[in-house]
Amino acid sequence: MSGTSDGAGPAGVAVPQSLRPMTTEGHLQALSQAERRDYRAAFNAAQIAMAVIDAEGLVVCANEALGALLGVRPADLRRRCAADLVGLGSDGRTWDAYHEVLRGHRSRFRCTRRLKQHDGRPLWAEVTVAPVPGTDDVLLTVTDVSDRRELHARLRHLQLHDPVTRLPNRALFFERLTAALESSPYDHGSTGRIGLCYLDLDGFKAVNDTLGHRVGDRLLTAVATRLTECAAGDRAHGGGHLVARLGGDEFAVLVEDSTGTEQLADLARGLLAALEQPFDLAGERVSVSASIGVVERAAADTSATSLMQAADTTLYWAKEDGRSRWTLFDPERNANRMTRQALASTLRPAVERGEFALEYQPLVGLADEVTRGVEALVRWNHPQFGTLTPNRFVAIAEEEGSIVQLGRWVLRTACRQARQWQLDHPDVEPLFVSVNVAVRQVWDSDLVADVAEILAATGLPPRLLQLELTESAVMGSAGRPLQALRALSDMGVRIAIDDFGTGYSNLAYLSRLPVSALKLDGTFVRGFQDETHANPADETIVEAMVELAHRLGLTVTAECVETSGQASRLRRIGCDTGQGWLYSRAVAPERITEMLGALDRHAATAG
């Protein structure tokens, strides 16, 4: 019931120019008797309730329509306060605007008021007050707008409710959410907190595809009923939570003035339990489950956008964690996700900007402790997050496709460096360089052509390049991957299986693959502690794998060698090379150059 000025004149009233000044008794005396009769007759016969108001706000005269509306004779309204008759004094803003018209400081004023008719029935009325030209009076009109308002209410309801489930829709949900976040945390009884259960049905598409959209709509309606009953049944916390359908098979339960995560967790468990029982839908028995993302926080610390982003992320976690469950928002997990997204968005241009570098970790012969080769390990010198190791970004690169571009750069850089070492230290046995290759590089690029081109451009002999693929990537290889591996092997490039022992461990299958080396996963080597803490089973397994590998003509490298005791036991069971912190961490290429320089000097002295 707020007053607004709309610039319009009194609704439905058209007073002839010649009659407009003749609105008070004094002015009527200036008219002829016939004109006065015509004026009064028109005024009284008008269907719109009207009254002439003087500068003091008192009724000068009222017509029959106004008297009928208020249930009194028009004559009894004379000298009555007009503002009291139509409720213009109910709020300060309306009262001030009304008096501005009375004082001639405002052209007109219009507002909507809820009145009572003489029989007690409510009435929505549009009240208009406008000056009468040539006088100090104003004309007040009262128009019944109940039907129009009811139509507007029905249209608004249709606009803000889902036609299938009759639940509030996305628009009304966000309207309520915004209002809840904007309310004062100091309101009486308010906790200042807000909670949200964001729910998505698991496998709803299958229901639509197999049983049809009509059954799907019935299911949505039945789900809405159960969710509403569950939310209303949360009587320990007041109940009455807003349940809305946000679209498709997504629902939300908004908990205003939540009491904490325990309340939201109990509600989420109740919602899942409510959906566990099968639904009987016109002869069809349908079972569904749901995943729920749960967010609860202080209302002052969030916005509608951030709350929904958190809920959407948490719902994704619930589905990722196995579905048919609820998951609570975890700020730390979300921070990791945001970091992951930031890395994914900047990874491709980072290659072009030269933010990557290679470090090299020696591969050392266990029998003589002579360095045979090095593994190239990529590092990302990120301007925001510092130096990142491969486990932070390689999986991301594989997912979004930049692994091909990054892998090609790593391969070229490593081969160029290995060739440079060979040229700079001709008197030392040249080191081979081992480079990790992702499966996607085999599928999404012509790896064979890339390797051939890079070896030709750098001049590195193929025998000094080793490509490492994970066991799960190599095992079961067929078609293009297997063809690529064979072509690379025929070229003279070594093929090694990285992290061996964590996947299929099918040594018989290895005999049909062009593999030349196995790299035992570090979990086996970690069991090789000192003699008093040794795990006999680990040693037995590793010894068996080494023996079988040798019979297949493969060399074996043990990863994560950290102690001399581990190296000694690996040497005893016949492992060929070791890699780990016992020998060296991954270092800059300059450190490998220094090591080769020392070997040069040693060879010169010995000669």
Side-chain angles (χ1 to χ4, degrees):
M1 300 184 187
S2 61
T4 58
S5 173
D6 62 2
V13 180
V15 181
Q17 183 67 35
S18 61
L19 296 182
R20 285 181 183 171
M22 311 304 175
T23 55
T24 66
E25 292 298 325
H27 286 89
L28 287 174
Q29 292 175 1
L31 299 173
S32 67
Q33 186 174 8
E35 288 175 323
R36 289 198 299 271
R37 282 199 306 270
D38 291 343
Y39 174 79
R40 287 196 178 99
F43 181 75
N44 287 323
Q47 297 296 310
I48 297 175
M50 294 186 292
V52 177
I53 312 299
D54 65 18
E56 300 300 321
L58 302 177
V59 176
V60 174
C61 60
N63 69 353
E64 295 291 341
L66 183 61
L69 175 68
L70 300 177
V72 297
R73 294 185 308 132
D76 293 338
L77 294 175
R78 287 176 56 84
R79 309 303 297 169
R80 294 277 299 274
C81 178
D84 293 342
L85 296 176
V86 291
L88 296 182
S90 59
D91 66 83
R93 185 178 176 184
T94 300
W95 178 258
D96 292 341
Y98 169 59
H99 275 267
E100 285 182 6
V101 177
L102 291 181
R103 292 192 296 267
H105 297 157
R106 182 170 180 156
S107 61
R108 53 182 50 83
F109 167 72
R110 175 180 291 175
C111 67
T112 302
R113 282 291 178 268
R114 191 174 188 271
L115 307 178
K116 276 190 177 181
Q117 301 185 71
H118 66 279
D119 58 2
R121 289 184 296 119
L123 167 75
W124 283 101
E126 186 176 84
V127 179
T128 303
V129 182
V132 177
T135 75
D136 293 331
D137 299 333
V138 299
L139 181 67
L140 179 144
T141 63
V142 182
T143 306
D144 185 352
V145 293
S146 299
D147 291 343
R148 187 172 71 193
R149 191 177 181 91
E150 183 180 351
L151 175 60
H152 180 269
R154 287 201 300 268
L155 292 174
R156 176 172 168 78
H157 185 275
L158 291 173
Q159 181 185 15
L160 297 178
H161 287 76
D162 172 51
V164 175
T165 64
R166 307 299 181 189
L167 290 178
N169 62 12
R170 177 179 289 269
L172 181 54
F173 170 79
F174 276 99
E175 188 176 292
R176 280 282 299 273
L177 173 59
T178 302
L181 293 174
E182 291 177 351
S183 63
S184 172
Y186 304 106
D187 290 346
H188 180 68
S190 172
T191 64
R193 302 189 69 81
I194 194 164
L196 178 64
C197 290
Y198 189 23
L199 180 148
D200 180 271
L201 300 181
D202 300 324
F204 176 72
K205 184 178 183 299
V207 176
N208 271 342
D209 292 345
T210 58
L211 301 178
H213 287 273
R214 178 172 297 182
V215 174
D217 286 349
R218 288 175 179 166
L219 175 59
L220 291 174
T221 301
V223 167
T225 299
R226 290 193 188 179
L227 296 180
T228 302
E229 291 172 351
C230 183
D234 186 21
R235 305 201 182 279
H237 300 95
H241 311 312
L242 176 71
V243 181
R245 182 189 177 198
L246 302 188
D249 59 345
E250 295 179 0
F251 297 83
V253 182
L254 178 65
V255 180
E256 300 179 44
D257 295 322
S258 67
T259 58
T261 55
E262 185 176 347
Q263 177 193 2
L264 270 294
D266 288 343
L267 177 59
R269 282 190 285 265
L271 295 172
L272 290 178
L275 300 179
E276 283 182 353
Q277 296 301 317
F279 293 86
D280 292 319
L281 307 173
E284 296 287 351
R285 192 170 176 83
V286 179
S287 296
V288 295
S289 63
S291 301
I292 305 177
V294 179
V295 184
E296 200 281 339
R297 58 180 56 168
D301 296 338
T302 192
S303 64
T305 300
S306 63
L307 187 71
M308 290 307 299
Q309 285 177 340
D312 185 66
T313 297
T314 313
L315 173 60
Y316 172 78
W317 292 342
K319 287 188 173 293
E320 189 179 45
D321 293 343
R323 303 191 174 195
S324 189
R325 68 187 63 223
W326 64 273
T327 300
L328 184 67
F329 180 75
D330 180 357
E332 183 176 349
R333 184 175 179 179
N334 186 60
N336 291 335
R337 181 186 69 90
M338 297 297 290
T339 300
R340 185 181 179 89
Q341 289 179 343
L343 294 179
S345 63
T346 58
L347 205 156
R348 197 179 296 270
V351 179
E352 301 170 358
R353 289 194 297 263
E355 294 179 5
F356 290 92
L358 293 186
E359 292 184 346
Y360 300 87
Q361 187 171 32
L363 303 172
V364 179
L366 288 168
D368 55 12
E369 296 191 348
V370 174
T371 299
R372 303 278 189 253
V374 292
E375 180 180 353
L377 299 170
V378 63
R379 304 288 187 256
W380 185 357
N381 297 316
H382 197 282
Q384 179 181 355
F385 303 115
T387 302
L388 303 178
T389 54
N391 64 315
R392 292 288 303 276
F393 59 85
V394 167
I396 301 173
E398 288 193 62
E399 288 177 9
E400 55 93 32
S402 58
I403 190 65
V404 173
Q405 178 189 16
L406 177 59
R408 191 178 289 124
W409 177 87
V410 170
L411 185 62
R412 185 179 301 276
T413 304
C415 288
R416 184 186 301 117
Q417 180 63 71
R419 176 57 174 164
Q420 191 63 50
W421 284 327
Q422 183 187 25
L423 294 175
D424 291 345
H425 306 279
D427 297 330
V428 177
E429 183 68 24
L431 302 178
F432 71 86
V433 63
S434 192
V435 178
N436 290 278
V437 175
V439 179
R440 192 160 181 176
Q441 288 178 258
V442 182
W443 282 105
D444 293 359
S445 68
D446 191 341
L447 181 62
V448 177
D450 287 344
V451 170
E453 184 273 324
I454 290 171
L455 290 177
T458 60
L460 183 70
R463 63 184 178 82
L464 296 183
L465 174 62
Q466 177 173 280
L467 299 180
E468 296 185 20
L469 291 90
T470 60
E471 179 181 352
S472 58
V474 174
M475 292 302 181
S477 293
R480 182 174 179 178
L482 181 57
Q483 294 171 6
L485 293 180
R486 286 175 174 165
L488 290 167
S489 179
D490 292 343
M491 192 186 300
V493 175
R494 306 183 191 191
I495 305 296
I497 299 179
D498 194 15
D499 300 329
F500 187 78
T502 59
Y504 295 92
S505 301
N506 188 342
L507 285 166
Y509 187 74
L510 286 177
S511 64
R512 299 191 292 272
L513 292 175
V515 175
S516 56
L518 300 182
K519 299 188 71 176
L520 294 181
D521 186 72
T523 54
F524 294 105
V525 179
R526 291 190 186 98
F528 282 36
Q529 303 299 328
D530 56 70
E531 296 290 342
T532 58
H533 297 90
N535 186 339
D538 284 341
E539 184 166 347
T540 301
I541 293 171
V542 172
E543 186 174 5
M545 286 194 293
V546 170
E547 183 178 352
L548 287 172
H550 284 168
R551 288 187 178 183
L552 293 173
L554 309 177
T555 62
V556 180
T557 297
E559 298 179 303
C560 301
V561 181
E562 298 179 355
T563 68
S564 58
Q566 290 172 330
S568 176
R569 299 180 69 190
L570 288 166
R571 184 184 308 111
R572 186 167 65 244
I573 63 178
C575 195
D576 300 290
T577 55
Q579 177 182 358
W581 290 359
L582 173 65
Y583 305 108
S584 173
R585 296 173 182 262
V587 296
E590 293 78 15
R591 295 287 301 277
I592 303 297
T593 301
E594 293 173 4
M595 179 195 73
L596 293 173
L599 292 175
D600 272 340
R601 291 190 294 274
H602 178 73
T605 303

